[in-house]
Amino acid sequence: MRRKVYTKELILNAAYEILVTRGAGHITARNVAIQMGISTQPIYLEFENMQGLKDSLLQSIATNLQETIFTVSKTGDRLVDFGLNYIQFAMEQPRLYTAFYINECMNGPLMYDLSINFFKELTRSDLRFRYFSDCAMEELHDQLLIQISGVGALASGKCLSFSEDKVHGLLKETINRHLEKNTEVTLAQDC
């Protein structure tokens, strides 16, 4: 008799289905096992605990979003493109967006770390930000994240008609304001 093998990937796929159909709060060992038609034993053989499964799922989704969706070039400005792509993701996949970012964030600190690290990666080679301190980068990140998350939430709920030009202008304005502010600080420190 041949034994069935339940890999991490299969378990994560089942957890992903639960996430997008029922929400993060429903990702339990029992629900994942039911989704797969198995006992909970294979889950705990692959993951130390449910938080480990959720963190792996979160990391997998975040990596996929960063590699395939958030880096699509639209305007030539990587930060503006990131914001526009984030909002487009919210509009095109509202259930996943809501489950991932709004309803029950599976791990807030991990989400924030993933976001800030991706942001730093986007800006690392951008000469406009070469003089930004870590504090200034975090401030710009937080400001943009608040804006795109707000528009994304309104767009995913069909509460706002998404105008790419309007959001493009809003994001550029925020970026330019931070560039001016940090140039002034740098010049003042040099004097």
Side-chain angles (χ1 to χ4, degrees):
M1 179 182 238
R2 193 169 198 192
R3 235 176 114 208
K4 288 190 176 182
V5 177
Y6 301 101
T7 64
K8 274 187 176 186
E9 184 179 340
L10 292 172
I11 295 167
L12 288 172
N13 288 342
Y16 176 83
E17 286 302 315
I18 293 168
L19 175 67
V20 297
T21 59
R22 297 170 56 198
H26 293 276
I27 300 175
T28 64
R30 184 168 189 227
N31 287 341
V32 172
I34 290 169
Q35 178 80 16
M36 295 180 71
I38 62 172
S39 73
T40 59
Q41 184 182 13
I43 297 166
Y44 288 112
L45 290 173
E46 292 296 331
F47 297 95
E48 186 175 328
N49 55 40
M50 285 307 295
Q51 191 58 52
L53 185 152
K54 290 177 181 181
D55 289 349
S56 291
L57 178 62
L58 183 67
Q59 182 68 54
S60 174
I61 294 170
T63 298
N64 182 50
L65 290 173
Q66 290 171 3
E67 291 175 355
T68 63
I69 295 175
F70 295 157
T71 55
V72 173
S73 181
K74 292 181 175 199
T75 67
D77 185 322
R78 295 177 78 190
L79 290 184
V80 172
D81 292 344
F82 166 71
L84 293 173
N85 291 327
Y86 180 100
I87 295 163
Q88 183 175 349
F89 162 69
M91 291 173 57
E92 291 177 356
Q93 298 185 45
R95 293 189 84 156
L96 179 57
Y97 174 80
T98 300
F100 200 56
Y101 290 105
I102 297 175
N103 277 353
E104 305 134 17
C105 191
M106 293 188 292
N107 184 335
L110 179 59
M111 283 293 298
Y112 186 82
D113 288 345
L114 291 170
S115 178
I116 193 74
N117 290 336
F118 181 62
F119 183 83
K120 287 178 180 177
E121 184 181 312
L122 284 176
T123 58
R124 188 172 297 130
S125 62
D126 192 325
L127 294 177
R128 297 177 299 173
F129 306 106
R130 66 184 171 273
Y131 298 117
F132 271 44
S133 66
D134 283 344
C135 182
M137 288 302 286
E138 288 179 20
E139 184 181 323
L140 176 57
H141 166 265
D142 292 351
Q143 182 84 156
L144 290 172
L145 185 63
I146 289 166
Q147 289 176 338
I148 62 177
S149 294
V151 174
L154 292 169
S156 72
K158 308 288 188 247
C159 298
L160 176 72
S161 178
F162 173 65
S163 164
E164 198 168 288
D165 288 339
K166 186 173 184 176
V167 174
H168 177 251
L170 175 70
L171 297 175
K172 284 298 276 186
E173 182 180 316
T174 300
I175 293 166
N176 289 337
R177 190 171 51 249
H178 280 273
L179 285 168
E180 289 171 11
K181 175 182 172 185
N182 283 285
T183 300
E184 290 170 8
V185 170
T186 303
L187 291 175
Q189 290 174 345
D190 290 340
C191 296

